[in-house]
Amino acid sequence: MNITTQIKQPIVYEMELFEKKFYESMSSKVALLNRITYYIVNRKGKQMRPMFVFLMAKMVSKGEVNERTYRGACVIELIHTATLVHDDVVDDSNRRRGFFSINALWKNKIAVLVGDYLLSKGLLLSIDHGDFDLLKIISVAVREMSEGELLQIEKARRLDITEDVYYDIIRKKTATLIAACCALGARSVVEDEVEVEKMRKFGELIGMAFQIKDDLFDYSEEAIGKPTGIDIKEQKMTLPLIHVLNNCTDKEKSWLINSIKNHNKDKKRVKEVIAFVKNNNGLAYAENKMVEFQQEALQLLNHYPESDYKAALILMVNYVIERKK
């Protein structure tokens, strides 16, 4: 049994029902839209975000979920899908999870409109049922994701990112959506704001660890669906690189910055940068930080009684940093 199946074990019924509700939540009177949303649904990923929603709801409520939990999971997946569709347009990417992206098949204009449609469907799903508390959690996440992307673009131009700014970027860009999943799951079944905030923090810490793991893949030799050195080619400042830049000599620093700015398409030079980062403790430092975030997250689950849901969440947390792609 693979790890995703193991994690899903305590929520198999909820995930099956969720898939039906998710497809229904996208329905439209426009045939073209239905054709595209059908394409999206049939090319889904691991569905980690709804899994977080259901596992969190069941852990904090001793196994209960309700219609609000399903709506929360649908909304987060609608918003997440909308951001992926828009991301592919922004990045001019023709593939998503091994399949053609929406913009590759239907062109940019339609892809942008589909992303907008999914976003509005997500917001309306909350409004129509009066889930204003859930809507607030989601709206904050959307705002932060946009800020994170723009902050990264702004800083990438100057390559002057400190570690603190990097954490701010990944917290907004990646961690905020996982944080929203956990907060949504908890808020759908309990009203205690302190508990909801604690679970939001849990999701945020997992998101931070998740992104650092992604950064480390850039230095990996394994086939993971993402070419080695792609972040360097795209001038993305990742934690291993930032640590080395902030701890090397001025001469080495200017060579690194010159390599990233002016020689990022040169395969030999990119390999030299990767080797330099590896040899100067960049990967080890990032790995330690990733484990710190993971351990801090796990501590937030300590006071919950043992259950299948808690065990699955712990498995998920460990999977985030042990995954191979």
Side-chain angles (χ1 to χ4, degrees):
M1 188 191 300
N2 75 14
I3 189 118
T4 318
T5 312
Q6 267 179 279
I7 295 165
K8 270 188 186 169
Q9 209 66 52
I11 50 165
V12 168
Y13 170 76
E14 285 81 6
M15 288 301 290
E16 282 177 6
L17 187 51
F18 157 76
E19 286 196 22
K20 292 193 189 88
K21 288 177 183 282
F22 179 54
Y23 185 50
E24 285 165 14
S25 72
M26 290 195 276
S27 69
S28 158
K29 291 188 173 74
V30 178
L32 175 62
L33 255 173
N34 284 334
R35 203 154 67 240
I36 295 170
T37 54
Y38 181 77
Y39 179 81
I40 290 169
V41 167
N42 285 300
R43 278 145 195 86
K44 60 182 183 289
K46 295 186 189 80
Q47 295 186 307
M48 274 177 69
R49 287 152 195 85
M51 282 155 67
F52 269 121
V53 174
F54 290 116
L55 288 171
M56 188 57 73
K58 295 193 104 174
M59 184 187 73
V60 302
S61 69
K62 298 185 175 66
E64 297 298 314
V65 296
N66 54 35
E67 282 303 314
R68 270 163 57 82
T69 318
Y70 284 103
R71 287 199 294 271
C74 285
V75 170
I76 211 83
E77 198 67 351
L78 283 164
I79 304 279
H80 175 57
T81 309
T83 61
L84 294 183
V85 172
H86 282 164
D87 277 354
D88 287 339
V89 174
V90 170
D91 298 338
D92 203 16
S93 173
N94 290 324
R95 311 286 288 185
R96 167 71 60 182
R97 298 179 186 131
F99 297 97
F100 284 115
S101 58
I102 304 299
N103 50 302
L105 292 172
W106 285 281
K107 302 293 178 254
N108 284 351
K109 185 176 180 178
I110 288 175
V112 170
L113 293 169
V114 167
D116 291 346
Y117 173 76
L118 294 173
L119 199 59
S120 67
K121 284 295 259 189
L123 301 177
L124 283 167
L125 187 58
S126 294
I127 292 166
D128 290 347
H129 294 88
D131 299 329
F132 298 110
D133 51 347
L134 305 186
L135 183 60
K136 185 177 180 185
I137 292 169
I138 292 148
S139 301
V140 168
V142 173
R143 182 196 71 204
E144 293 213 318
M145 284 158 68
S146 309
E147 284 179 353
E149 287 285 359
L150 288 163
L151 182 60
Q152 184 174 47
I153 291 166
E154 178 196 333
K155 293 295 179 183
R157 287 182 184 147
R158 300 209 302 272
L159 302 184
D160 63 348
I161 294 188
T162 62
E163 208 170 304
D164 284 344
V165 170
Y166 164 81
Y167 291 137
D168 196 27
I169 289 170
I170 68 166
R171 184 181 61 74
K172 287 179 168 171
K173 204 181 95 152
T174 304
T176 194
L177 195 63
I178 298 175
C181 294
C182 295
L184 276 177
R187 190 72 180 96
S188 71
V189 290
V190 299
E191 290 187 7
D192 182 347
E193 291 293 345
V194 175
E195 188 168 21
V196 172
E197 172 52 29
K198 198 179 277 186
M199 293 305 95
R200 189 204 65 77
K201 185 68 183 171
F202 167 83
E204 184 180 282
L205 291 162
I206 297 310
M208 301 289 275
F210 183 92
Q211 185 56 55
I212 295 172
K213 180 68 175 179
D214 253 20
D215 288 358
L216 288 163
F217 282 141
D218 202 45
Y219 297 87
S220 163
E221 301 298 329
E222 294 169 45
I224 54 156
K226 170 183 166 181
T228 304
I230 194 80
D231 289 338
I232 294 167
K233 290 181 186 114
E234 292 176 359
Q235 299 187 31
K236 278 186 189 161
M237 298 299 281
T238 59
L239 188 55
L241 186 57
I242 290 163
H243 175 71
V244 171
L245 270 171
N246 292 334
N247 290 278
C248 62
T249 65
D250 288 346
K251 189 180 174 189
E252 288 167 334
K253 190 172 184 173
S254 67
W255 173 79
L256 271 173
I257 288 175
N258 181 34
S259 301
I260 295 158
K261 271 194 165 169
N262 305 315
H263 303 281
N264 54 29
K265 303 286 188 284
D266 178 339
K267 282 185 182 173
K268 183 171 174 285
R269 191 72 167 257
V270 168
K271 272 190 172 171
E272 286 169 6
V273 170
I274 289 171
F276 186 82
V277 171
K278 282 181 177 174
N279 296 335
N280 284 271
N281 210 32
L283 300 198
Y285 181 81
E287 276 168 12
N288 286 338
K289 282 290 175 189
M290 175 180 73
V291 172
E292 275 176 34
F293 284 122
Q294 178 223 22
Q295 291 304 315
E296 201 182 329
L298 288 173
Q299 281 170 9
L300 291 173
L301 302 185
N302 281 347
H303 70 285
Y304 286 98
E306 296 308 314
S307 67
D308 289 348
Y309 319 116
K310 179 180 171 179
L313 275 170
I314 292 169
L315 199 59
M316 199 132 152
V317 170
N318 295 331
Y319 167 68
V320 159
I321 71 165
E322 287 162 10
R323 65 201 165 98
K324 296 285 184 275
K325 61 180 177 179

